[in-house]
Amino acid sequence: MIQQLFSLLTVICSLSLLTPVKLVAAEQQKPNIIFIMADDLGYAELGCYGQTKIKTPHIDKLAAEGMKFTQAYAGSMVCQPSRSVLMTGQHTGHTAVRANDLNQLLYEEDTTVAEVLKGAGYATGAFGKWGLGYAGTPGTPAKQGFDDFTGQLLQVHAHFYYPFWIWKNEEKLMLPENENNQRGRYIHDLIHEDAKAFIQKNKAQPFFAYLPYIIPHVELVVPEESEKPYRGQFPKTQILDPRPGYIGSEDGLTTFAGMVSRLDDHVGEIVTLLEDLGIRDNTLIIFTSDNGGQGGTWKEMTDFFNGNAPLKGHKGSMYEGGLRVPFIANWPGKIAPGKTSDLQIAFWDVLPTLAQVAGTTVPSGVDIDGISFLPTLLGKAMQPKHEYLYWEYTKGKIRSRAIRQGNWKAVQNRMNQPIELYDLGKDIGETKNLAKQHPEQIKDLQQIMQQAHSEPRDFPQTLKPVGIKGYVK
């Protein structure tokens, strides 16, 4: 009896000694980071930002249990430069890629957020639309800090949901089930499965999963199970893509709603996976969009859902509807639930923020424009703020630009056009151009814009335009 009691006490003592060790190890484990970015998702196309027609319960839950930003901005009003800003921490007056241009790409001297986190001991993976360098150039994910990649290197390839090949690291993964116009494999699903596999593979070490998903960018198509819940709810509207070879929809509003809901379902799957792996509490999740909701041929669709409400403009414009995006951060135990922040942040703030989360710093000699917003995430009072936010779109001789300073927003749609001025504090819809009433303000903002612009990189024009030939058939 005495011997049994002694053995029991020994086991208890052993467990009591082991438990603190496990706790210390857990506390020392660097947080995982998942950055999910939708493609062309409008500011108000989520329930937590006012959407009433499309259901997004999983993303809404992230917002309810975390922090929602109301004045967050993409890197640009279109996809390619926005991604360059996100990766480099430099706004479009400084970053390498400043337009949707196949010849603009990242070079070896560019430092990405993936390289910063990789240097801090993180496994790094990217899954979706890249857009910053094609095969054989220094701009590919493998050469910009990512260990694993599944997706499309060129943004034009990410327009298609049933291609017959896709990039997996440095190799082409053939998809014969999609050849000859077959719809055997919805490419977003494949990308999503590889993202989950990356998380599973790296569950025992800190990882950075960059998920630039391609939904809901057109072409307008989604598997039937995602459309079914919305069938008959909206006016049946034919929305056909004017470009040859692209899929349109005979019931476009239903298809679009189904695409957004499929994205939401997959965000929910990511959260469930983290919970199943026991790493949910040690993972920061950020969800956003690469620019505003779609205009042009699809303007009617975006407007039906009030996708950019109450903002002016759509993707491709320097107005708020092209630049302001949903932005949600969720980190159990670190970010208090149910918080809303009106801090003005932009994509160039992501690199320094994630570096600080990872307990590292931006390498010396690397110039960035971003400011870490980690203090805001953690509820700290000492949050540095931007003097201004600046955007430009530069492609050859074409340049448009915009700046926000406080509540003032200046927009110049072309360099030979007058500068418009809006007071976003009183006029979030940018309906009243106040330029004539405030000439001194225009002068001051114009001077800042000139200082924020550096000459763009002189890219050799060597790449021939790549269309759909060789990608879908």
Side-chain angles (χ1 to χ4, degrees):
M1 181 68 179
I2 296 175
Q3 181 64 38
Q4 291 175 337
L5 182 60
F6 179 78
S7 299
L8 179 60
L9 289 171
T10 302
V11 171
I12 293 173
C13 290
S14 298
L15 289 174
S16 66
L17 288 172
L18 286 173
T19 301
V21 173
K22 288 183 178 179
L23 290 174
V24 170
E27 290 172 359
Q28 290 177 345
Q29 176 71 48
K30 291 185 176 183
N32 308 306
I33 301 168
I34 299 178
F35 192 96
I36 307 172
M37 184 167 67
D39 197 339
D40 290 3
L41 184 74
Y43 179 77
E45 284 172 343
L46 301 172
C48 53
Y49 281 87
Q51 180 58 223
T52 60
K53 298 173 182 175
I54 303 173
K55 305 304 180 185
T56 55
H58 302 292
I59 300 172
D60 296 346
K61 186 178 180 182
L62 283 180
E65 297 178 352
M67 180 174 289
K68 179 181 73 173
F69 287 81
T70 60
Q71 300 192 73
Y73 290 91
S76 177
M77 38 63 155
V78 290
C79 66
Q80 194 179 346
S82 195
R83 291 156 203 273
S84 182
V85 169
L86 179 67
M87 285 292 106
T88 64
Q90 299 173 320
H91 61 56
T92 39
H94 297 143
T95 197
V97 178
R98 307 187 191 185
N100 277 355
D101 184 345
L102 298 180
N103 290 291
Q104 296 188 25
L105 52 107
L106 296 182
Y107 281 6
E108 290 180 7
E109 59 263 32
D110 297 310
T111 299
T112 67
V113 62
E115 290 174 305
V116 172
L117 295 179
K118 189 176 178 69
Y122 278 66
T124 56
F127 303 90
K129 178 177 176 178
W130 177 243
L132 300 176
Y134 50 95
T137 74
T140 59
K143 295 179 180 178
Q144 293 295 332
F146 286 100
D147 302 319
D148 292 287
F149 172 71
T150 301
Q152 304 93 340
L153 293 177
L154 292 174
Q155 63 268 20
V156 67
H157 288 173
H159 294 182
F160 303 103
Y161 287 89
Y162 292 100
F164 67 89
W165 62 268
I166 195 172
W167 288 105
K168 191 174 179 66
N169 295 321
E170 301 279 284
E171 303 293 332
K172 286 183 179 179
L173 174 65
M174 306 308 295
L175 302 171
E177 62 266 46
N178 287 347
E179 289 195 35
N180 300 315
N181 296 317
Q182 297 182 93
R183 299 186 187 180
R185 191 71 185 272
Y186 194 65
I187 202 64
H188 168 79
D189 294 355
L190 186 155
I191 291 168
H192 174 62
E193 291 302 318
D194 274 16
K196 291 195 296 183
F198 171 83
I199 293 170
Q200 173 79 43
K201 181 178 70 172
N202 294 287
K203 61 185 178 183
Q205 68 177 102
F207 62 80
F208 169 51
Y210 171 45
L211 278 49
Y213 284 161
I214 61 177
I215 287 181
H217 192 295
V218 293
E219 53 185 3
L220 206 55
V221 61
V222 73
E224 169 61 23
E225 64 263 25
S226 292
E227 291 187 327
K228 190 174 180 180
Y230 295 104
R231 193 72 70 193
Q233 291 190 25
F234 314 129
K236 193 168 185 178
T237 306
Q238 184 185 66
I239 303 177
L240 302 180
D241 199 306
R243 298 165 294 185
Y246 283 73
I247 299 173
S249 175
E250 296 294 329
D251 192 5
L253 301 177
T254 296
T255 301
F256 181 79
M259 293 175 77
V260 175
S261 281
R262 197 174 192 87
L263 170 67
D264 180 73
D265 287 342
H266 286 175
V267 171
E269 289 182 13
I270 294 292
V271 174
T272 298
L273 175 61
L274 296 173
E275 292 171 346
D276 291 345
L277 295 175
I279 58 175
R280 176 71 185 93
D281 288 349
N282 196 40
T283 303
L284 167 64
I285 300 175
I286 293 177
F287 179 90
T288 189
S289 176
D290 65 340
N291 47 243
Q294 299 165 90
T297 300
W298 308 277
K299 179 181 181 298
E300 178 184 355
M301 176 183 72
T302 302
D303 291 349
F304 174 82
F305 291 110
N306 291 318
N308 286 340
L311 311 176
K312 177 180 178 178
H314 300 79
K315 169 188 177 179
S317 81
M318 287 292 184
Y319 299 111
E320 293 290 287
L323 293 169
R324 195 183 297 208
V325 291
F327 198 99
I328 297 163
N330 184 293
W331 191 1
K334 296 291 194 299
I335 299 175
K339 296 296 182 180
T340 298
S341 174
D342 62 359
L343 179 71
Q344 295 174 24
I345 63 170
F347 272 16
W348 49 97
D349 297 323
V350 170
L351 189 154
T353 302
L354 299 190
Q356 193 173 11
V357 168
T360 189
T361 58
V362 180
S364 60
V366 176
D367 293 327
I368 65 169
D369 299 301
I371 297 173
S372 171
F373 52 85
L374 183 59
T376 293
L377 295 181
L378 301 181
K380 307 296 183 183
M382 300 302 293
Q383 172 64 63
K385 297 181 180 180
H386 284 286
E387 178 188 351
Y388 62 86
L389 301 175
Y390 173 74
W391 303 266
E392 69 176 63
Y393 183 91
T394 300
K395 185 175 182 179
K397 296 181 179 180
I398 299 174
R399 192 196 315 165
S400 58
R401 59 184 183 173
I403 186 171
R404 177 168 184 179
Q405 186 178 51
N407 283 329
W408 289 115
K409 169 82 176 293
V411 175
Q412 190 170 25
N413 291 311
R414 287 289 186 271
M415 295 301 289
N416 61 350
Q417 294 181 6
I419 298 175
E420 303 168 15
L421 183 68
Y422 302 97
D423 181 352
L424 296 181
K426 300 177 181 177
D427 179 25
I428 192 174
E430 295 169 295
T431 61
K432 299 177 181 178
N433 181 3
L434 304 176
K436 291 183 179 180
Q437 293 94 314
H438 299 276
E440 288 302 315
Q441 192 67 44
I442 288 286
K443 183 178 179 181
D444 291 344
L445 292 176
Q446 184 176 29
Q447 184 176 10
I448 296 173
M449 286 194 288
Q450 290 170 345
Q451 294 171 348
H453 167 77
S454 64
E455 285 303 304
R457 180 176 286 164
D458 184 18
F459 292 97
Q461 303 297 300
T462 57
L463 180 64
K464 294 181 179 179
V466 177
I468 62 174
K469 185 177 181 182
Y471 196 71
V472 293
K473 68 178 181 181

